[in-house]
Amino acid sequence: MLKRFALEQQRQHEKKSIYNLNEDEELTHYGQSLADIEKHNDIVDSDSDAEDRGALSAELTAAHFGGGDGLLYKKTSQQQGEEGEKPKSRKELIEELIAKSKQEKRERQAQREDALELTEKLDQDWKEIQALLARKTPKPEGRGGKEKPQPDAYDVMVRELGFEMKAQPSNRMKTKEELAEEAQARLRRLEAERLRRMLGKDEDEHTKNPKHVSADDLSDGFILDKDDRRMLSYKDGKMNIEEEPGGEASASESAEEEEEEEGSGEEGDPEENDGPDGHSDLESDVGSEDGGERAEEDTCLVTGDTAIADDGGAREAARTELPYTLAAPESYEELKSLLSGKSVEEQLLVVERIQKCSHPSLAVGNKAKLEKLFGFLLEYIGDLATEDPPGLGIIDKLVVHLYNLCQMFPDSASDSMKFVLRDAMHEMEATVESTGRAAFPGLDVLIYLKIVGMLFPTSDFRHPVVTPALLCMSQLLTKCPVLSLRDVLKGLFVCCVFLDYVSLSQRFIPELINFLLGILYIATPKKQSQGYTLVHPFRALGRNSELLVVSDKEDMATWQRRRLSLHWAAGPKAQTKTEANHTRLSCLAVCLALVERCVRVYGALPSFHDIVRPLRALLTEHLADGSHPRELQELGQSALTEMETQAQLCRPLVCEKSKPVPLKLFTPRLVRVLEFGRKQGSSKEEQERKRLIHKHKREFRGAVREIRRDNQFLARMQLSEITERDAERKRKVKQLFNSLATQEGEWKALKRKKFKK
């Protein structure tokens, strides 16, 4: 019978295998074989027993759904009669029942696991026998002595590329308008939440209350929130199903919940544990209930007060929090009211939120609002610079927002900057006209000049904002005299800004070199006046000709190089003599550093030697003095070394040497001429040809002359004929007019005669 069954299976397999392309592959769905699904095998996954599904034992029914007392007492009496022992209490009976049910559950689980193991073993054995039942004839190995060719590298690469993961399309990049809309929506949502917290509204005010759930509800109206399908893959010929990372955690959680439910079932109600009637301790329960109610009331009072306090704190925090949606200010006072009294981070946050809420792509009039905001920020920076002490930290961070607005609206930004520079120049010119000289401007104008170099390109040959700024700085260095250390500090700051402007274009600024030369001059104690000349605003003699000279050796010994702060430009505090000497030495160190930087910037200019000649002379005097600190001498020596290095790289202007161009000389050509004026040196045929050409020209000229004469004669004859015809016509016309006049006279005479009659 086994042999006959094997033959029938082989016959059916041969018929079906004609169109079977995947003999060794097994089709699956959700990790289960399609063949098993077609057999409709019901795999029991629940913990309940398949045989007793839907049926409850009499003991369990009696214990949970009524009638438990009689059954329990009946069993107790039977056990007492059989064993002669003391009857068990209700709690002991329930514990015994629970233990018995758990044991039965474990036994059923063990039986189920054994059945699954046997099933898997039988499936594995059937797969081993299935290959024998198929009776596949093995292919001859040595057919023709040819081996299967190995795939080359190209075929292997093509197959690998075919099985590679394809790139998934990503989301497109959002435009600036879309990003601005998202930012505005986010700020509006946060502002609504802040207002809700400030007003003390509940978060779940608008949420729906949960519906009443009946005890008979099966909880089958759920919706799957996510796809719980698993990825199926094969590894080493075996099926591999990826497990969810939270699978074990969920299993453990469900197990803990079951244990908690079982524990609560074992404990039961306290009234039932005391006895069958459960009425023995009513008085004690009443006392305990009163105490519990009081404790609950106290707890509610405490929690209510805490909630009220927390609610008040949340309202206060929301009230002090910055608004998320801010309208663009219409005036400078409105912007100042928004920023005054806030920290640096809050001020930057306010400006950023104003820009996001008033982005040009959100509304039509937002462009004009942001253009006004640029001017208001410039004015606010000027006010910060004039404070005591100046707010340089917030100014440094507000420049970022100025740059962003300048990139968005370059025309309006340039107009605002030109307006500020124009006001500064008008003030300086008015001061010069009234007093004859001008003082260095305040820190606000100096910061504006620095901001111009950060917002606009400084390497352009001509720029509507940078060029006026260069002229303004050049006039500051030439028209403002140096009368104090504060003026020296402001002038050095202008020199630094100048070098930042011309670092790329290498534009020569003579005012810059003259100012540095003057600073070195007023810092030199023994002046020899060789190789250089001073120009305005410095003087060779006077009260301020030795403003930076330090003669105290103790102050020189205790001096340490440090950076000069811009707080001095706003208004220096009262200093001691030692602090003033240290400031003078620091100014001289900054001047030497600027000289070295100038040498590097102008090293490629052809007139480099003429530029550095006066600077070299003064630096030589400084080094020859030897009374300055070591750091200053090192700075001067490095500047001189840099001058020598750049001088070797750059050669002075010289005329280009070239060989003189000789005059052109023409050699005469000698030709023999015959006696009668004809050239000699041509053959007889050539002479005959030339004679014929000359004769042809002569005849041609004669023919042309005759034709011209004939044309002239014909033209004269035609003109005479026309003249004769015109004269005859005039004669006839005149004769007609005369005859008509005669007739008219006769008619008029006849008419007069008739009239007289």
Side-chain angles (χ1 to χ4, degrees):
M1 292 175 64
L2 182 62
K3 187 174 181 181
R4 183 172 58 186
F5 176 74
L7 290 175
E8 290 178 357
Q9 292 292 330
Q10 181 181 2
R11 190 179 300 108
Q12 294 178 1
H13 180 72
E14 289 177 356
K15 290 180 180 179
K16 294 180 180 180
S17 63
I18 298 175
Y19 305 102
N20 191 4
L21 301 179
N22 301 330
E23 296 181 357
D24 300 332
E25 294 184 1
E26 183 178 4
L27 299 178
T28 59
H29 178 68
Y30 278 90
Q32 300 180 8
S33 176
L34 293 178
D36 296 340
I37 295 176
E38 291 176 357
K39 294 177 182 178
H40 302 287
N41 294 331
D42 189 7
I43 299 176
V44 181
D45 292 335
S46 63
D47 294 337
S48 61
D49 192 2
E51 297 178 358
D52 299 334
R53 180 180 297 175
L56 298 176
S57 61
E59 299 176 358
L60 189 62
T61 304
H64 291 282
F65 298 100
D69 293 341
L71 180 61
L72 291 175
Y73 284 127
K74 183 178 180 181
K75 291 180 65 179
T76 304
S77 60
Q78 291 177 0
Q79 292 176 359
Q80 184 179 5
E82 295 175 357
E83 300 176 359
E85 297 179 356
K86 184 180 179 180
K88 297 181 180 180
S89 64
R90 179 179 180 85
K91 182 177 181 181
E92 292 177 353
L93 291 174
I94 291 176
E95 290 179 354
E96 183 180 356
L97 181 63
I98 292 173
K100 185 176 179 182
S101 63
K102 286 186 176 181
Q103 184 178 2
E104 292 178 355
K105 185 177 180 180
R106 285 194 294 270
E107 290 177 357
R108 288 195 300 272
Q109 184 69 20
Q111 292 177 2
R112 192 180 302 106
E113 292 178 356
D114 295 340
L116 289 175
E117 290 179 359
L118 291 175
T119 304
E120 291 177 358
K121 186 176 180 181
L122 288 175
D123 292 341
Q124 190 68 22
D125 295 342
W126 169 250
K127 289 181 180 179
E128 295 178 357
I129 299 173
Q130 189 177 7
L132 300 176
L133 294 177
R135 286 189 178 182
K136 293 183 179 180
T137 56
K139 297 181 180 179
E141 297 180 357
R143 180 183 299 176
K146 295 182 180 179
E147 297 181 358
K148 187 176 181 180
Q150 296 293 334
D152 55 357
Y154 177 78
D155 295 338
V156 173
M157 185 180 296
V158 169
R159 293 179 182 177
E160 290 178 355
L161 292 176
F163 287 104
E164 279 186 355
M165 293 291 293
K166 300 298 186 295
Q168 299 294 332
S170 59
N171 297 330
R172 66 175 181 84
M173 295 183 65
K174 298 181 180 179
T175 59
K176 294 182 179 180
E177 291 76 10
E178 293 175 349
L179 294 175
E181 291 178 0
E182 290 183 358
Q184 188 188 33
R186 173 177 169 275
L187 292 177
R188 286 180 177 176
R189 184 179 67 256
L190 294 175
E191 178 66 13
E193 293 178 359
R194 187 187 70 84
L195 294 176
R196 177 185 52 74
R197 293 195 304 270
M198 186 175 67
L199 298 176
K201 294 182 180 180
D202 191 8
E203 294 184 3
D204 301 332
E205 184 178 5
H206 302 288
T207 56
K208 295 181 179 179
N209 295 326
K211 296 180 179 180
H212 174 70
V213 181
S214 175
D216 299 333
D217 190 6
L218 299 178
S219 299
D220 55 353
F222 59 88
I223 300 174
L224 293 177
D225 295 335
K226 61 179 182 178
D227 192 2
D228 58 348
R229 293 182 293 180
R230 302 176 182 178
M231 182 65 69
L232 178 62
S233 60
Y234 290 89
K235 184 177 181 181
D236 299 333
K238 296 181 180 180
M239 185 170 58
N240 182 20
I241 301 176
E242 296 182 359
E243 296 183 357
E244 296 180 357
E248 298 180 359
S250 61
S252 61
E253 291 176 0
S254 61
E256 291 176 1
E257 292 175 1
E258 290 178 2
E259 291 179 0
E260 290 176 1
E261 291 175 2
E262 292 174 1
S264 62
E266 291 175 2
E267 292 176 1
D269 296 334
E271 297 179 358
E272 296 178 356
N273 296 336
D274 294 336
D277 296 332
H279 303 287
S280 59
D281 52 353
L282 289 177
E283 297 177 357
S284 62
D285 288 341
V286 170
S288 62
E289 287 176 0
D290 294 338
E293 290 178 357
R294 292 174 183 174
E296 288 179 359
E297 289 178 359
D298 297 339
T299 305
C300 291
L301 290 175
V302 173
T303 54
D305 296 339
T306 307
I308 293 172
D310 294 341
D311 192 8
R315 291 184 182 180
E316 187 64 26
R319 188 175 291 106
T320 57
E321 191 177 359
L322 288 176
Y324 288 95
T325 56
L326 294 170
E330 296 294 336
S331 62
Y332 172 67
E333 288 75 14
E334 187 177 350
L335 176 65
K336 195 171 182 180
S337 63
L338 288 174
L339 300 180
S340 61
K342 295 181 176 58
S343 62
V344 177
E345 290 75 11
E346 290 178 348
Q347 292 184 27
L348 296 175
L349 195 59
V350 167
V351 176
E352 182 181 358
R353 288 177 180 176
I354 289 174
Q355 295 182 37
K356 288 184 178 180
C357 294
S358 302
H359 196 271
S361 62
L362 301 177
V364 178
N366 287 346
K367 180 179 179 181
K369 294 180 181 179
L370 291 183
E371 290 176 354
K372 292 181 181 178
L373 179 63
F374 184 88
F376 297 156
L377 288 178
L378 279 181
E379 191 173 355
Y380 183 67
I381 287 174
D383 290 347
L384 291 176
T386 54
E387 292 179 356
D388 188 20
L392 299 178
I394 182 63
I395 290 174
D396 188 20
K397 295 181 179 179
L398 283 176
V399 171
V400 179
H401 297 285
L402 284 178
Y403 180 80
N404 295 332
L405 292 174
C406 182
Q407 295 298 316
M408 294 173 65
F409 316 108
D411 296 336
S412 62
S414 61
D415 294 339
S416 301
M417 291 302 303
K418 285 189 292 185
F419 180 77
V420 171
L421 295 177
R422 191 183 301 113
D423 286 349
M425 292 299 297
H426 287 338
E427 291 179 2
M428 188 174 64
E429 290 176 358
T431 306
V432 171
E433 290 179 359
S434 60
T435 61
R437 62 181 182 179
F440 277 95
L443 184 58
D444 52 350
V445 178
L446 301 180
I447 289 177
Y448 286 147
L449 293 174
K450 179 67 176 177
I451 291 175
V452 168
M454 300 173 68
L455 299 183
F456 302 99
T458 57
S459 60
D460 293 353
F461 182 76
R462 187 179 292 104
H463 193 272
V465 182
V466 177
T467 303
L470 289 172
L471 294 176
C472 179
M473 289 189 291
S474 63
Q475 292 194 13
L476 291 178
L477 294 181
T478 53
K479 293 184 178 181
C480 300
V482 179
L483 304 177
S484 62
L485 291 178
R486 181 180 177 185
D487 296 337
V488 172
L489 181 61
K490 290 182 179 179
L492 291 176
F493 179 78
V494 174
C495 293
C496 292
V497 176
F498 246 137
L499 285 175
D500 291 338
Y501 276 40
V502 300
S503 58
L504 292 177
S505 61
Q506 297 181 352
R507 182 179 298 174
F508 176 64
I509 307 296
E511 294 84 1
L512 172 63
I513 304 299
N514 292 332
F515 192 85
L516 295 178
L517 183 65
I519 295 295
L520 291 177
Y521 181 81
I522 63 177
T524 306
K526 298 178 182 180
K527 304 174 178 62
Q528 300 177 1
S529 299
Q530 294 179 358
Y532 58 88
T533 54
L534 289 178
V535 295
H536 191 77
F538 297 96
R539 295 180 180 179
L541 298 175
R543 184 178 59 180
N544 299 317
S545 60
E546 294 182 356
L547 182 62
L548 297 182
V549 175
V550 179
S551 58
D552 194 348
K553 294 183 179 180
E554 294 182 359
D555 295 342
M556 291 185 181
T558 58
W559 173 77
Q560 292 181 356
R561 186 181 178 185
R562 59 186 178 86
R563 301 179 63 182
L564 293 174
S565 177
L566 280 179
H567 294 277
W568 265 59
K573 300 178 181 179
Q575 291 182 331
T576 61
K577 183 179 178 181
T578 302
E579 292 177 351
N581 289 334
H582 288 175
T583 304
R584 291 186 178 94
L585 294 175
S586 298
C587 291
L588 182 57
V590 172
C591 180
L592 292 174
L594 290 176
V595 168
E596 185 177 358
R597 189 177 173 187
C598 286
V599 172
R600 293 177 181 173
V601 172
Y602 297 132
L605 295 179
S607 59
F608 174 73
H609 295 276
D610 298 332
I611 294 173
V612 301
R613 186 180 295 111
L615 295 175
R616 185 185 290 110
L618 273 174
L619 287 176
T620 306
E621 291 183 9
H622 271 283
L623 295 177
D625 184 15
S627 61
H628 292 89
R630 182 180 176 183
E631 294 185 9
L632 292 179
Q633 293 181 5
E634 291 178 355
L635 286 173
Q637 188 62 42
S638 63
L640 287 175
T641 305
E642 188 70 24
M643 289 179 187
E644 294 176 358
T645 304
Q646 295 293 339
Q648 293 176 0
L649 297 176
C650 181
R651 294 179 298 176
L653 286 176
V654 294
C655 295
E656 184 180 0
K657 295 182 179 180
S658 59
K659 294 181 179 180
V661 180
L663 297 175
K664 294 183 178 180
L665 300 178
F666 297 98
T667 304
R669 182 181 180 185
L670 301 177
V671 180
R672 291 182 63 184
V673 183
L674 299 178
E675 291 80 2
F676 45 89
R678 294 184 179 179
K679 294 181 180 180
Q680 190 178 6
S682 58
S683 61
K684 188 176 181 181
E685 290 81 5
E686 185 69 20
Q687 293 179 1
E688 184 67 21
R689 179 175 174 276
K690 290 181 179 180
R691 188 181 65 80
L692 292 175
I693 291 174
H694 179 68
K695 187 178 180 180
H696 173 266
K697 289 181 179 180
R698 187 176 56 190
E699 294 294 334
F700 180 77
R701 292 193 192 99
V704 171
R705 193 182 302 112
E706 293 295 331
I707 293 173
R708 188 180 296 115
R709 289 175 180 175
D710 294 342
N711 290 335
Q712 292 176 357
F713 175 75
L714 292 176
R716 285 195 300 269
M717 295 300 293
Q718 291 177 359
L719 182 61
S720 62
E721 291 179 358
I722 292 172
T723 305
E724 291 178 357
R725 285 198 301 269
D726 292 343
E728 184 67 23
R729 178 174 173 277
K730 288 180 180 180
R731 186 183 62 79
K732 291 180 179 180
V733 170
K734 188 176 181 180
Q735 186 179 359
L736 288 174
F737 272 109
N738 292 334
S739 61
L740 289 174
T742 304
Q743 291 179 5
E744 185 179 3
E746 293 177 354
W747 183 79
K748 287 181 179 180
L750 184 61
K751 189 175 182 182
R752 282 196 298 266
K753 290 179 179 180
K754 289 181 179 181
F755 181 74
K756 289 179 180 180
K757 290 180 180 181

